[in-house]
Amino acid sequence: MAETMNSLLYPLCSTIALLILLYKLQSLRADRSVTQVVLAANSFFLFITFTVSTPSIWVLTSDFVGIVNFSGLLTQGSIIIMTACQQLLLLHLSYDPDIARVKAVPRLISLAVAIVAMSVLFAGAAEQGEAPNDFAIAHAQYTPAYLFVYLVAFTVNQVEIGVMGWRYSKIAPSLWLRRGLRLVSFALPFVLAYTTCRAAEIVVAQFGESGNLWEPAAQLAVATAVLVQTLGWILPDLGPHLTSAVIRLRHRRVYRVLAPLHRHITEQVPEIVIQVDLSWDLRTRLYRMVIEIRDAQWALHSWMDSRTAVVAHEEAERDGVEGEELAALVEAAQISGAIERKRHNHLPEEISETPLSAAPGDLAAELVFQQKLARAMSSPVALRAARHASASGTSPAREGPG
């Protein structure tokens, strides 16, 4: 099971890490700040960790260096260096540069000591044979001190990273940075699950047993923790692009909803329509569409019968409609009635006071309301009210006002 996990999971994680690394290297061209450099370094060691952990690469790396199981020291050392990078990043986000540098020194020294100690203790298990699939289990049995040092350094610093990330997420200046830091913090349970599995391996090894039973859980936990953290670190960069993509998709959907209404209403008053420039972005075209729909309503105002609004209002209320949905039905009825009257050149005896029944406060609210208006155009309530008003109380117009 562990061999299958290593052969499938780690290459996948390695590919993801490589994509992230390439993205961060591209970002360095425009921004070489400490945070971006540290993030790039973190991505590099993430790539090293998962690549070398792949069984075939593990053996090749150890053979190339000429030291049995050197790949184990390399991957776990890379994880410690990643932890250092994350500590540096959080310190630079949380404090002024001078204070961050001072606070970073003892942390970096402790992690450096841990790597040196791991390197010294590693020699005790180097002759046990290559173990690409159960390196940690082997060390738990033969040199538990090595695994103990690694786990203490990793766990203590990861807990601090989770706590620091959560604290700074409450005051981070941007939405996506807050979300990213929370995601980094959410990786902590997976970290603790991994370290618990590894600590259990040390304990059971003292009784002549092995942790093979929960080794897949340990591998899955650490892979999940690292990838969740990495996603959290790059989310502030990717987030704005995600927001823009969502907004574009939302605008496309709104545009499709409003286009039939715009076409239907402006056919009667084509003079208000401005020729769309193909260079305009979708948001600009959508904004123009909203304005033209409202302008068309006012242009048709003199064809709107006051009784249309009354009938639509009464029928809608009987059906339990209220709020903006009610206002949309009333406006839809007035539009349909006005278009019908204009086609037959029949002026109403009493013009409605206003063509509008709602007054959204901004563009976002206007877009929401006009979508309701577009859907209300096909409502039976609106159509009945429009037909009822246009069937009575009309007088031929000598000259249509539109």
Side-chain angles (χ1 to χ4, degrees), residues 12-44:
L12 175 62
C13 293
S14 174
T15 302
I16 296 173
L18 177 60
L19 294 175
I20 295 172
L21 174 60
L22 294 176
Y23 174 78
K24 296 310 301 179
L25 290 176
Q26 185 177 11
S27 299
L28 284 177
R29 295 180 179 179
D31 182 4
R32 295 190 179 182
S33 62
V34 173
T35 55
Q36 291 298 328
V37 172
V38 170
L39 283 172
N42 184 76
S43 301
F44 172 74

Side-chain angles (χ1 to χ4, degrees), residues 346-365:
H346 283 164
L347 288 171
E349 290 183 354
E350 183 179 350
I351 298 174
S352 64
E353 183 177 344
T354 175
L356 309 181
S357 298
D362 54 31
L363 178 60

Side-chain angles (χ1 to χ4, degrees), residues 265-284:
I265 192 172
T266 57
E267 282 177 350
Q268 306 303 315
V269 283
E271 64 276 6
I272 69 168
V273 178
I274 295 178
Q275 187 64 34
V276 174
D277 191 325
L278 294 178
S279 64
W280 292 357
D281 59 29
L282 184 60
R283 187 179 187 279
T284 302

Side-chain angles (χ1 to χ4, degrees), residues 283-299:
R283 187 179 187 279
T284 302
R285 285 182 283 156
L286 190 58
Y287 178 68
R288 186 61 219 170
M289 178 180 285
V290 168
I291 292 175
E292 289 175 356
I293 289 173
R294 284 309 195 193
D295 287 347
Q297 286 180 266
W298 281 105

Side-chain angles (χ1 to χ4, degrees), residues 40-121:
N42 184 76
S43 301
F44 172 74
F45 286 104
L46 175 67
F47 172 67
I48 293 296
T49 299
F50 283 126
T51 300
V52 177
S53 294
T54 302
S56 58
I57 305 299
W58 178 291
V59 175
L60 289 174
T61 303
S62 295
D63 288 345
F64 177 79
V65 177
I67 300 176
V68 178
N69 280 326
F70 173 79
S71 297
L73 178 63
L74 176 60
T75 55
Q76 292 184 338
S78 295
I79 290 175
I80 297 298
I81 296 174
M82 284 172 54
T83 300
C85 292
Q86 294 167 19
Q87 288 271 11
L88 286 174
L89 178 58
L90 283 169
L91 288 172
H92 276 82
L93 288 174
S94 305
Y95 301 97
D96 292 333
D98 292 338
I99 298 177
R101 281 193 290 270
V102 172
K103 288 182 174 292
V105 171
R107 290 172 169 82
L108 294 179
I109 290 176
S110 64
L111 290 173
V113 169
I115 291 177
V116 171
M118 288 169 58
S119 300
V120 172
L121 293 169

